[in-house]
């Protein structure tokens, strides 16, 4: 698996700058969860709970962005 870590910083006046920053923070939380998962030899209740704990804030923020920040084309 490869990841693209060569993403340039956006111009602060760019319309999507705040969303981009939020998505980068979400991605960082996902990366931490993936790293934790890669260190687990077997799935367990403990590891599942830890992964959920790591991903819940990212999930909540992503849902907020999708539902509340991005413009709904039905409006």
């Amino acid at each position: 698996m490869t990841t693209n870590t060569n993403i340039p910083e956006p111009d602060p006046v760019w319309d999507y700058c705040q969303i981009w920053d939020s998505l980068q923070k979400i991605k960082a939380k996902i990366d931490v969860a993936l790293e934790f998962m890669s260190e687990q030899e077997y799935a367990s209740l403990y590891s599942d709970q830890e992964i959920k704990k790591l991903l819940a804030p990212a999930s909540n923020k992503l849902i907020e962005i999708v539902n509340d920040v991005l413009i709904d084309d039905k409006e």
Side-chain angles (χ1 to χ4, degrees), residues 3-65:
T3 58
N4 182 3
T5 58
N6 220 7
I7 301 172
E9 291 289 320
D11 184 337
V13 298
W14 179 41
D15 290 343
Y16 285 118
C17 189
Q18 288 181 334
I19 295 171
W20 184 92
D21 185 55
S22 294
L23 292 175
Q24 287 296 322
K25 290 175 183 173
I26 291 167
K27 181 181 174 299
K29 292 176 190 288
I30 293 169
D31 288 344
V32 170
L34 289 170
E35 179 69 27
F36 176 81
M37 288 172 67
S38 71
E39 296 167 354
Q40 306 308 305
E41 188 167 350
Y42 301 104
S44 68
L45 178 60
Y46 165 76
S47 61
D48 285 356
Q49 289 171 339
E50 288 300 306
I51 293 165
K52 187 173 183 175
K53 195 184 310 180
L54 291 167
L55 291 176
S59 173
N60 294 339
K61 186 63 178 175
L62 181 58
I63 290 167
E64 176 188 322
I65 290 169

